[in-house]
Amino acid sequence: MESPLPSKPQSAPGPLSSFVRFVVCGGGVGVLSSAAVPLVATAMPWPVANALITVVSTLLCTELHALFTFGTGRRAGLRRHLQSAGSATAAYLVTCAAMFLLHAVQSSPGLLREQAVYLTASGLAGTGRFLVLRLFVFAGGRSTEAPAPQRATSDWNTPFVRAGAFAG
């Protein structure tokens, strides 16, 4: 369920601005997550800590993307969280597939080659994820212009309106 924030309508940021915000939000949360996993892993097994931090960071990023990156003016809601998690899962699968393919083609690639393949796949997956989020997940909720002012209800109760001021 999407809940509006008590703020004035805002216009949606342009594609370049959205992309910069996407990188800053995602990168910032990624850096924080990479520091949080080892800390949380002191209290539980590493795979569990990694899964927990991944879920929390994905939820946080989706809220940041809804409110800041794509300027929807409201929180993400369950549907957008699920769609965002789906796009994150697809990006994860792309990077795994790239590494699998590298190791299928070259049995012992060097660290530099592995990093190059991983970072390239990650960059492409991130760009694809940005496009999915911008064009599909958060596209419908953006405010592109301020709503037209509405007439106060008390205007309709004046004698002028009731007497047929709109009769031609």
Tab-separated table of all heavy atoms in Angstrom, residues 43-98:
chain	number	residue	atom	x	y	z
A	43	ALA	N	27.708	-11.917	15.139
A	43	ALA	CA	26.613	-12.439	15.954
A	43	ALA	C	25.894	-13.623	15.310
A	43	ALA	O	25.027	-14.225	15.933
A	43	ALA	CB	25.612	-11.330	16.245
A	44	MET	N	26.207	-13.918	14.050
A	44	MET	CA	25.526	-15.008	13.340
A	44	MET	C	26.421	-15.483	12.208
A	44	MET	O	27.398	-14.808	11.873
A	44	MET	CB	24.174	-14.528	12.797
A	44	MET	CG	24.263	-13.386	11.796
A	44	MET	SD	22.658	-12.701	11.293
A	44	MET	CE	22.093	-11.940	12.804
A	45	PRO	N	26.076	-16.619	11.592
A	45	PRO	CA	26.891	-17.093	10.453
A	45	PRO	C	26.917	-16.071	9.309
A	45	PRO	O	25.927	-15.375	9.059
A	45	PRO	CB	26.170	-18.372	10.023
A	45	PRO	CG	25.378	-18.804	11.208
A	45	PRO	CD	25.012	-17.546	11.947
A	46	TRP	N	28.063	-16.015	8.623
A	46	TRP	CA	28.250	-15.026	7.560
A	46	TRP	C	27.175	-15.073	6.484
A	46	TRP	O	26.658	-14.027	6.095
A	46	TRP	CB	29.651	-15.177	6.937
A	46	TRP	CG	30.013	-14.013	6.077
A	46	TRP	CD1	30.681	-12.894	6.467
A	46	TRP	CD2	29.696	-13.834	4.696
A	46	TRP	NE1	30.799	-12.031	5.407
A	46	TRP	CE2	30.201	-12.582	4.300
A	46	TRP	CE3	29.028	-14.595	3.757
A	46	TRP	CZ2	30.064	-12.089	3.018
A	46	TRP	CZ3	28.894	-14.101	2.466
A	46	TRP	CH2	29.415	-12.857	2.118
A	47	PRO	N	26.790	-16.250	5.962
A	47	PRO	CA	25.740	-16.266	4.919
A	47	PRO	C	24.408	-15.678	5.405
A	47	PRO	O	23.710	-15.013	4.645
A	47	PRO	CB	25.595	-17.745	4.552
A	47	PRO	CG	26.886	-18.365	4.953
A	47	PRO	CD	27.349	-17.592	6.161
A	48	VAL	N	24.081	-15.913	6.666
A	48	VAL	CA	22.839	-15.357	7.224
A	48	VAL	C	22.962	-13.839	7.358
A	48	VAL	O	22.038	-13.093	7.016
A	48	VAL	CB	22.506	-16.016	8.589
A	48	VAL	CG1	21.287	-15.369	9.234
A	48	VAL	CG2	22.309	-17.511	8.416
A	49	ALA	N	24.109	-13.377	7.831
A	49	ALA	CA	24.337	-11.931	7.950
A	49	ALA	C	24.278	-11.264	6.581
A	49	ALA	O	23.665	-10.197	6.425
A	49	ALA	CB	25.697	-11.662	8.604
A	50	ASN	N	24.890	-11.885	5.586
A	50	ASN	CA	24.874	-11.336	4.234
A	50	ASN	C	23.452	-11.267	3.692
A	50	ASN	O	23.051	-10.261	3.101
A	50	ASN	CB	25.772	-12.177	3.327
A	50	ASN	CG	25.941	-11.555	1.956
A	50	ASN	OD1	25.954	-10.338	1.801
A	50	ASN	ND2	26.068	-12.392	0.952
A	51	ALA	N	22.673	-12.336	3.885
A	51	ALA	CA	21.285	-12.344	3.419
A	51	ALA	C	20.464	-11.264	4.131
A	51	ALA	O	19.688	-10.541	3.496
A	51	ALA	CB	20.667	-13.727	3.645
A	52	LEU	N	20.637	-11.134	5.430
A	52	LEU	CA	19.903	-10.129	6.202
A	52	LEU	C	20.232	-8.713	5.733
A	52	LEU	O	19.332	-7.902	5.474
A	52	LEU	CB	20.217	-10.278	7.689
A	52	LEU	CG	19.563	-9.266	8.618
A	52	LEU	CD1	18.056	-9.463	8.632
A	52	LEU	CD2	20.136	-9.389	10.023
A	53	ILE	N	21.502	-8.427	5.584
A	53	ILE	CA	21.918	-7.090	5.141
A	53	ILE	C	21.464	-6.843	3.707
A	53	ILE	O	21.072	-5.728	3.349
A	53	ILE	CB	23.451	-6.911	5.285
A	53	ILE	CG1	23.850	-6.982	6.757
A	53	ILE	CG2	23.912	-5.602	4.656
A	53	ILE	CD1	23.203	-5.932	7.652
A	54	THR	N	21.472	-7.854	2.868
A	54	THR	CA	21.001	-7.707	1.487
A	54	THR	C	19.527	-7.332	1.456
A	54	THR	O	19.117	-6.427	0.724
A	54	THR	CB	21.259	-8.992	0.682
A	54	THR	OG1	22.668	-9.228	0.646
A	54	THR	CG2	20.723	-8.883	-0.728
A	55	VAL	N	18.720	-7.998	2.259
A	55	VAL	CA	17.286	-7.688	2.315
A	55	VAL	C	17.065	-6.272	2.834
A	55	VAL	O	16.325	-5.480	2.240
A	55	VAL	CB	16.531	-8.726	3.181
A	55	VAL	CG1	15.115	-8.266	3.485
A	55	VAL	CG2	16.510	-10.076	2.486
A	56	VAL	N	17.725	-5.928	3.922
A	56	VAL	CA	17.552	-4.593	4.517
A	56	VAL	C	18.035	-3.506	3.550
A	56	VAL	O	17.367	-2.481	3.370
A	56	VAL	CB	18.288	-4.501	5.879
A	56	VAL	CG1	18.337	-3.074	6.393
A	56	VAL	CG2	17.611	-5.404	6.899
A	57	SER	N	19.176	-3.728	2.902
A	57	SER	CA	19.705	-2.710	1.990
A	57	SER	C	18.824	-2.560	0.748
A	57	SER	O	18.654	-1.456	0.233
A	57	SER	CB	21.156	-3.010	1.603
A	57	SER	OG	21.241	-4.192	0.850
A	58	THR	N	18.231	-3.667	0.278
A	58	THR	CA	17.326	-3.580	-0.869
A	58	THR	C	16.069	-2.804	-0.505
A	58	THR	O	15.601	-1.958	-1.277
A	58	THR	CB	16.963	-4.991	-1.388
A	58	THR	OG1	18.173	-5.656	-1.767
A	58	THR	CG2	16.040	-4.925	-2.586
A	59	LEU	N	15.530	-3.052	0.688
A	59	LEU	CA	14.362	-2.293	1.154
A	59	LEU	C	14.691	-0.801	1.270
A	59	LEU	O	13.924	0.055	0.822
A	59	LEU	CB	13.871	-2.831	2.506
A	59	LEU	CG	13.232	-4.209	2.496
A	59	LEU	CD1	13.026	-4.713	3.928
A	59	LEU	CD2	11.922	-4.190	1.737
A	60	LEU	N	15.850	-0.497	1.860
A	60	LEU	CA	16.261	0.898	2.025
A	60	LEU	C	16.457	1.575	0.670
A	60	LEU	O	15.979	2.697	0.446
A	60	LEU	CB	17.546	0.982	2.855
A	60	LEU	CG	18.155	2.367	3.027
A	60	LEU	CD1	17.182	3.318	3.715
A	60	LEU	CD2	19.462	2.279	3.802
A	61	CYS	N	17.145	0.900	-0.240
A	61	CYS	CA	17.373	1.480	-1.575
A	61	CYS	C	16.060	1.726	-2.315
A	61	CYS	O	15.911	2.752	-2.973
A	61	CYS	CB	18.273	0.580	-2.408
A	61	CYS	SG	20.018	0.877	-2.143
A	62	THR	N	15.116	0.806	-2.194
A	62	THR	CA	13.843	0.990	-2.880
A	62	THR	C	13.125	2.220	-2.350
A	62	THR	O	12.561	3.007	-3.129
A	62	THR	CB	12.961	-0.266	-2.725
A	62	THR	OG1	13.686	-1.379	-3.269
A	62	THR	CG2	11.651	-0.119	-3.469
A	63	GLU	N	13.154	2.440	-1.041
A	63	GLU	CA	12.543	3.646	-0.471
A	63	GLU	C	13.277	4.901	-0.954
A	63	GLU	O	12.645	5.891	-1.333
A	63	GLU	CB	12.544	3.586	1.064
A	63	GLU	CG	11.589	2.582	1.644
A	63	GLU	CD	10.130	2.891	1.352
A	63	GLU	OE1	9.747	4.074	1.258
A	63	GLU	OE2	9.351	1.927	1.205
A	64	LEU	N	14.597	4.858	-0.953
A	64	LEU	CA	15.375	6.007	-1.441
A	64	LEU	C	15.084	6.283	-2.907
A	64	LEU	O	14.953	7.445	-3.315
A	64	LEU	CB	16.871	5.772	-1.231
A	64	LEU	CG	17.371	5.812	0.204
A	64	LEU	CD1	18.831	5.379	0.281
A	64	LEU	CD2	17.184	7.190	0.806
A	65	HIS	N	14.980	5.229	-3.702
A	65	HIS	CA	14.689	5.411	-5.125
A	65	HIS	C	13.300	6.003	-5.322
A	65	HIS	O	13.108	6.875	-6.174
A	65	HIS	CB	14.822	4.093	-5.887
A	65	HIS	CG	16.227	3.583	-5.974
A	65	HIS	ND1	17.337	4.402	-6.060
A	65	HIS	CD2	16.708	2.322	-5.978
A	65	HIS	CE1	18.425	3.675	-6.124
A	65	HIS	NE2	18.071	2.402	-6.075
A	66	ALA	N	12.332	5.561	-4.548
A	66	ALA	CA	10.975	6.103	-4.678
A	66	ALA	C	10.933	7.578	-4.300
A	66	ALA	O	10.362	8.402	-5.017
A	66	ALA	CB	9.995	5.316	-3.808
A	67	LEU	N	11.552	7.918	-3.188
A	67	LEU	CA	11.450	9.280	-2.669
A	67	LEU	C	12.439	10.250	-3.305
A	67	LEU	O	12.102	11.414	-3.531
A	67	LEU	CB	11.656	9.266	-1.151
A	67	LEU	CG	10.614	8.480	-0.366
A	67	LEU	CD1	11.040	8.350	1.092
A	67	LEU	CD2	9.257	9.133	-0.483
A	68	PHE	N	13.635	9.786	-3.584
A	68	PHE	CA	14.694	10.702	-4.009
A	68	PHE	C	15.110	10.504	-5.466
A	68	PHE	O	15.096	11.437	-6.253
A	68	PHE	CB	15.899	10.518	-3.077
A	68	PHE	CG	17.069	11.389	-3.400
A	68	PHE	CD1	17.001	12.761	-3.228
A	68	PHE	CD2	18.250	10.852	-3.868
A	68	PHE	CE1	18.087	13.569	-3.531
A	68	PHE	CE2	19.342	11.649	-4.169
A	68	PHE	CZ	19.251	13.016	-3.995
A	69	THR	N	15.466	9.279	-5.836
A	69	THR	CA	15.997	9.020	-7.172
A	69	THR	C	14.993	9.337	-8.265
A	69	THR	O	15.312	10.015	-9.236
A	69	THR	CB	16.440	7.544	-7.295
A	69	THR	OG1	17.402	7.273	-6.287
A	69	THR	CG2	17.033	7.266	-8.664
A	70	PHE	N	13.763	8.829	-8.115
A	70	PHE	CA	12.754	8.980	-9.163
A	70	PHE	C	11.667	9.981	-8.812
A	70	PHE	O	10.761	10.210	-9.611
A	70	PHE	CB	12.155	7.615	-9.521
A	70	PHE	CG	13.203	6.648	-10.004
A	70	PHE	CD1	13.584	5.565	-9.237
A	70	PHE	CD2	13.836	6.849	-11.221
A	70	PHE	CE1	14.566	4.687	-9.678
A	70	PHE	CE2	14.810	5.983	-11.668
A	70	PHE	CZ	15.187	4.900	-10.894
A	71	GLY	N	11.727	10.589	-7.639
A	71	GLY	CA	10.841	11.682	-7.266
A	71	GLY	C	9.354	11.380	-7.318
A	71	GLY	O	8.587	12.195	-7.811
A	72	THR	N	8.937	10.214	-6.797
A	72	THR	CA	7.510	9.890	-6.834
A	72	THR	C	6.721	10.697	-5.812
A	72	THR	O	5.518	10.858	-5.967
A	72	THR	CB	7.261	8.393	-6.571
A	72	THR	OG1	7.683	8.082	-5.244
A	72	THR	CG2	7.967	7.526	-7.596
A	73	GLY	N	7.378	11.170	-4.764
A	73	GLY	CA	6.679	11.928	-3.728
A	73	GLY	C	5.971	11.046	-2.716
A	73	GLY	O	5.261	11.537	-1.859
A	74	ARG	N	6.138	9.734	-2.826
A	74	ARG	CA	5.515	8.817	-1.861
A	74	ARG	C	6.412	7.606	-1.649
A	74	ARG	O	7.293	7.328	-2.456
A	74	ARG	CB	4.131	8.392	-2.326
A	74	ARG	CG	4.167	7.496	-3.548
A	74	ARG	CD	2.810	7.255	-4.078
A	74	ARG	NE	2.613	8.370	-4.965
A	74	ARG	CZ	1.655	8.552	-5.816
A	74	ARG	NH1	0.727	7.732	-5.891
A	74	ARG	NH2	1.575	9.577	-6.597
A	75	ARG	N	6.138	6.902	-0.568
A	75	ARG	CA	6.915	5.695	-0.267
A	75	ARG	C	6.635	4.622	-1.308
A	75	ARG	O	5.670	4.690	-2.037
A	75	ARG	CB	6.584	5.230	1.133
A	75	ARG	CG	7.023	6.314	2.142
A	75	ARG	CD	7.041	5.864	3.532
A	75	ARG	NE	7.850	4.664	3.656
A	75	ARG	CZ	7.786	3.875	4.718
A	75	ARG	NH1	6.976	4.167	5.699
A	75	ARG	NH2	8.530	2.803	4.780
A	76	ALA	N	7.472	3.610	-1.331
A	76	ALA	CA	7.452	2.626	-2.415
A	76	ALA	C	6.226	1.720	-2.416
A	76	ALA	O	5.678	1.445	-3.474
A	76	ALA	CB	8.727	1.775	-2.366
A	77	GLY	N	5.791	1.219	-1.312
A	77	GLY	CA	4.675	0.278	-1.301
A	77	GLY	C	5.132	-1.132	-1.639
A	77	GLY	O	6.213	-1.349	-2.195
A	78	LEU	N	4.303	-2.106	-1.318
A	78	LEU	CA	4.665	-3.517	-1.474
A	78	LEU	C	4.937	-3.889	-2.927
A	78	LEU	O	5.915	-4.575	-3.238
A	78	LEU	CB	3.558	-4.409	-0.898
A	78	LEU	CG	3.819	-5.907	-0.977
A	78	LEU	CD1	5.082	-6.286	-0.213
A	78	LEU	CD2	2.622	-6.679	-0.454
A	79	ARG	N	4.094	-3.448	-3.857
A	79	ARG	CA	4.271	-3.799	-5.271
A	79	ARG	C	5.635	-3.335	-5.773
A	79	ARG	O	6.369	-4.087	-6.420
A	79	ARG	CB	3.162	-3.184	-6.125
A	79	ARG	CG	3.314	-3.490	-7.618
A	79	ARG	CD	2.276	-2.771	-8.470
A	79	ARG	NE	2.384	-1.326	-8.418
A	79	ARG	CZ	3.272	-0.602	-9.117
A	79	ARG	NH1	4.132	-1.192	-9.901
A	79	ARG	NH2	3.299	0.707	-9.023
A	80	ARG	N	6.001	-2.120	-5.474
A	80	ARG	CA	7.292	-1.599	-5.943
A	80	ARG	C	8.458	-2.292	-5.253
A	80	ARG	O	9.508	-2.492	-5.860
A	80	ARG	CB	7.348	-0.094	-5.758
A	80	ARG	CG	6.478	0.611	-6.782
A	80	ARG	CD	6.592	2.091	-6.665
A	80	ARG	NE	5.927	2.743	-7.788
A	80	ARG	CZ	5.409	3.934	-7.722
A	80	ARG	NH1	5.476	4.636	-6.610
A	80	ARG	NH2	4.837	4.471	-8.777
A	81	HIS	N	8.287	-2.638	-3.974
A	81	HIS	CA	9.354	-3.380	-3.291
A	81	HIS	C	9.575	-4.735	-3.955
A	81	HIS	O	10.713	-5.154	-4.156
A	81	HIS	CB	9.024	-3.558	-1.804
A	81	HIS	CG	9.425	-2.394	-0.970
A	81	HIS	ND1	10.739	-2.079	-0.702
A	81	HIS	CD2	8.680	-1.457	-0.340
A	81	HIS	CE1	10.798	-1.002	0.055
A	81	HIS	NE2	9.556	-0.604	0.289
A	82	LEU	N	8.494	-5.416	-4.301
A	82	LEU	CA	8.622	-6.719	-4.950
A	82	LEU	C	9.244	-6.588	-6.334
A	82	LEU	O	10.107	-7.389	-6.722
A	82	LEU	CB	7.263	-7.407	-5.032
A	82	LEU	CG	6.678	-7.848	-3.685
A	82	LEU	CD1	5.260	-8.369	-3.871
A	82	LEU	CD2	7.567	-8.879	-3.017
A	83	GLN	N	8.829	-5.577	-7.095
A	83	GLN	CA	9.406	-5.370	-8.423
A	83	GLN	C	10.883	-5.007	-8.322
A	83	GLN	O	11.708	-5.473	-9.111
A	83	GLN	CB	8.641	-4.278	-9.168
A	83	GLN	CG	7.251	-4.703	-9.580
A	83	GLN	CD	6.449	-3.555	-10.147
A	83	GLN	OE1	6.606	-2.401	-9.740
A	83	GLN	NE2	5.572	-3.862	-11.090
A	84	SER	N	11.229	-4.182	-7.361
A	84	SER	CA	12.620	-3.799	-7.172
A	84	SER	C	13.457	-5.001	-6.764
A	84	SER	O	14.579	-5.187	-7.256
A	84	SER	CB	12.723	-2.696	-6.112
A	84	SER	OG	14.062	-2.315	-5.930
A	85	ALA	N	12.921	-5.837	-5.886
A	85	ALA	CA	13.632	-7.053	-5.480
A	85	ALA	C	13.818	-7.976	-6.681
A	85	ALA	O	14.871	-8.617	-6.832
A	85	ALA	CB	12.875	-7.761	-4.368
A	86	GLY	N	12.816	-8.032	-7.543
A	86	GLY	CA	12.941	-8.841	-8.759
A	86	GLY	C	14.042	-8.324	-9.666
A	86	GLY	O	14.821	-9.110	-10.219
A	87	SER	N	14.130	-7.001	-9.823
A	87	SER	CA	15.185	-6.441	-10.678
A	87	SER	C	16.559	-6.639	-10.041
A	87	SER	O	17.540	-6.865	-10.751
A	87	SER	CB	14.918	-4.968	-10.979
A	87	SER	OG	15.121	-4.164	-9.840
A	88	ALA	N	16.644	-6.587	-8.716
A	88	ALA	CA	17.920	-6.844	-8.032
A	88	ALA	C	18.331	-8.301	-8.206
A	88	ALA	O	19.515	-8.608	-8.419
A	88	ALA	CB	17.812	-6.488	-6.551
A	89	THR	N	17.361	-9.203	-8.150
A	89	THR	CA	17.646	-10.625	-8.357
A	89	THR	C	18.134	-10.871	-9.783
A	89	THR	O	19.095	-11.616	-10.001
A	89	THR	CB	16.390	-11.475	-8.068
A	89	THR	OG1	15.992	-11.241	-6.716
A	89	THR	CG2	16.649	-12.948	-8.293
A	90	ALA	N	17.499	-10.218	-10.747
A	90	ALA	CA	17.935	-10.356	-12.144
A	90	ALA	C	19.356	-9.835	-12.313
A	90	ALA	O	20.180	-10.464	-13.007
A	90	ALA	CB	16.976	-9.617	-13.075
A	91	ALA	N	19.686	-8.715	-11.684
A	91	ALA	CA	21.044	-8.170	-11.770
A	91	ALA	C	22.056	-9.135	-11.137
A	91	ALA	O	23.151	-9.349	-11.676
A	91	ALA	CB	21.108	-6.804	-11.085
A	92	TYR	N	21.674	-9.736	-10.027
A	92	TYR	CA	22.533	-10.733	-9.373
A	92	TYR	C	22.782	-11.918	-10.310
A	92	TYR	O	23.911	-12.391	-10.442
A	92	TYR	CB	21.875	-11.196	-8.067
A	92	TYR	CG	22.527	-12.397	-7.439
A	92	TYR	CD1	23.704	-12.263	-6.719
A	92	TYR	CD2	21.966	-13.660	-7.556
A	92	TYR	CE1	24.309	-13.367	-6.135
A	92	TYR	CE2	22.563	-14.766	-6.983
A	92	TYR	CZ	23.729	-14.616	-6.267
A	92	TYR	OH	24.322	-15.713	-5.702
A	93	LEU	N	21.730	-12.381	-10.962
A	93	LEU	CA	21.860	-13.520	-11.873
A	93	LEU	C	22.751	-13.185	-13.072
A	93	LEU	O	23.501	-14.039	-13.547
A	93	LEU	CB	20.487	-13.991	-12.332
A	93	LEU	CG	19.623	-14.628	-11.238
A	93	LEU	CD1	18.220	-14.923	-11.772
A	93	LEU	CD2	20.281	-15.873	-10.675
A	94	VAL	N	22.690	-11.947	-13.548
A	94	VAL	CA	23.543	-11.523	-14.666
A	94	VAL	C	25.019	-11.581	-14.263
A	94	VAL	O	25.858	-12.085	-15.017
A	94	VAL	CB	23.152	-10.105	-15.150
A	94	VAL	CG1	24.226	-9.499	-16.044
A	94	VAL	CG2	21.820	-10.151	-15.877
A	95	THR	N	25.335	-11.086	-13.074
A	95	THR	CA	26.742	-11.111	-12.643
A	95	THR	C	27.207	-12.550	-12.401
A	95	THR	O	28.341	-12.894	-12.742
A	95	THR	CB	26.972	-10.249	-11.382
A	95	THR	OG1	26.116	-10.696	-10.332
A	95	THR	CG2	26.725	-8.781	-11.671
A	96	CYS	N	26.335	-13.386	-11.842
A	96	CYS	CA	26.702	-14.804	-11.652
A	96	CYS	C	26.929	-15.490	-12.995
A	96	CYS	O	27.883	-16.261	-13.152
A	96	CYS	CB	25.610	-15.531	-10.869
A	96	CYS	SG	25.560	-15.115	-9.121
A	97	ALA	N	26.054	-15.224	-13.962
A	97	ALA	CA	26.187	-15.831	-15.287
A	97	ALA	C	27.484	-15.381	-15.959
A	97	ALA	O	28.164	-16.187	-16.610
A	97	ALA	CB	24.984	-15.469	-16.159
A	98	ALA	N	27.836	-14.117	-15.799
A	98	ALA	CA	29.077	-13.620	-16.400
A	98	ALA	C	30.288	-14.327	-15.806
A	98	ALA	O	31.210	-14.727	-16.540
A	98	ALA	CB	29.190	-12.109	-16.200
